Amino acid sequence: MPEQLPRRLVLASGLSLPALWPARRASAQGGKPIRLIVPYPPGGITDLVARRVADAMGQRQGRPVVVDNRPGAGGNLAAEIAARAAPDGDTLYVGFAGTHAMNVSLYPRLNYDPVRDFTPLGLLIESPLALTVHPSVPANSLAELTAYAKAHPEALAFGSSGNGGASHRALELYKADAGVEILHVPYRGAAASNTDLLSGKIQGMFDTLITAMPNIQSRGVRALAVTGRQRAALLPDVPTMAEAGLDGYLFVTWLGLLAPAGLPPAQQERLNADLRAVMTDPAMAEWCARNGLEPRPSSPEEFASYMAAETDRFARFVRQTGMRIE
């Protein structure tokens, strides 16, 4: 379970305690803080990973990295703000599959270009999701859930962290592959949707392990399957969606670090070197394993190719599911 910080400290400073010493050091040297724009509110996978990376990057950069949460519009709001920032290394952005692979197919118009307006720095992590349901749902397996959903169209409501987010996309893929009708209820972040799932206001959710595990362990929700290529180490007894009967189903979400377009190559190289050092550090590897995440250090070129492949894959996904957001 990820470390918890006093909420006042997180919201007031955007930093956790290990990042405060670079702030003092930078102040003495006159260094300007780096703003790390995050497209989701505090509490979900994107924010938790961003804060962990911000702490470590701040120590390597010798100046604080301050998290700036800008949720809204499936990540497009934050991406637009980052795209318009000066390419001076003082503004970074945590991109994800929505803003940098899928939204270009999902939305009729974007106020940024995910390729032209950004400088790729490197991948951060990949993560499967867990299909979780409230204990009141009469299903102890994916097959039983699918049968119930087919017998009771739109009787189930599944939450998500927001329109176009990973939990929404995983749900739409399940609906298309299984041929079921389930209501989608978007929230402003995973924390809000989990609150309503635990209370039974909604009946299910595809959720990242980092936020789902405490609720699974407390039996507040029931895990029926995971969306990755193989079983999750944290849930060895829970089958993959394919193992549970939905052959071919695969969904893995990811996060990466970017800067505004036009960042000088020397700064791109320095930031990538620091990022790779952060993502290959044993402490980061241990933290990721403990929270169901896989570190994915990469070069900027590898990250750019990865995003291009994901953009093509999600274009096919949108055609398959008919998913659109106006």
Side-chain angles (χ1 to χ4, degrees), residues 82-236:
R84 292 180 177 178
D88 53 12
D90 291 339
T91 299
L92 303 177
Y93 175 67
V94 177
F96 68 106
T99 58
H100 280 77
M102 185 174 179
N103 289 358
V104 68
S105 296
L106 190 60
Y107 288 80
R109 185 174 67 89
L110 297 179
N111 291 326
Y112 68 94
D113 186 296
V115 177
R116 185 186 63 236
D117 293 340
F118 290 88
T119 298
L121 299 176
L123 269 168
L124 298 175
I125 57 94
E126 284 187 337
S127 174
L129 276 64
L131 169 54
T132 59
V133 296
H134 188 267
S136 64
V137 175
N140 291 299
S141 68
L142 178 63
E144 291 179 358
L145 177 68
T146 300
Y148 182 86
K150 287 183 175 180
H152 304 85
E154 297 193 346
L156 296 174
F158 273 42
S160 78
S161 57
N163 280 321
S167 48
H168 182 197
R169 299 193 306 274
L171 170 62
E172 294 300 330
L173 184 59
Y174 168 56
K175 288 164 59 177
D177 283 1
V180 296
E181 298 178 27
I182 295 175
L183 292 174
H184 169 233
V185 183
Y187 289 81
R188 289 178 63 86
S193 56
N194 269 293
T195 296
D196 277 5
L197 176 57
L198 289 171
S199 70
K201 290 182 180 179
I202 57 174
Q203 288 74 52
M205 181 179 175
F206 284 85
D207 197 9
T208 54
L209 299 185
I210 195 171
T211 50
M213 283 306 299
N215 298 331
I216 295 171
Q217 292 168 337
S218 69
R219 301 185 184 275
V221 299
R222 183 186 306 129
L224 302 183
V226 292
T227 66
R229 299 177 183 85
Q230 57 193 22
R231 296 193 181 197
L234 295 179
L235 294 170

Side-chain angles (χ1 to χ4, degrees), residues 269-306:
E269 183 179 345
R270 164 73 192 282
L271 284 164
N272 174 258
D274 284 349
L275 181 61
R276 290 174 75 119
V278 166
M279 299 311 298
T280 56
D281 184 86
M284 177 64 78
E286 190 276 333
W287 183 82
C288 285
R290 190 155 33 93
N291 289 288
L293 308 174
E294 181 182 347
R296 285 295 307 272
S298 72
S299 69
E301 294 76 19
E302 289 169 337
F303 184 29
S305 296
Y306 183 95

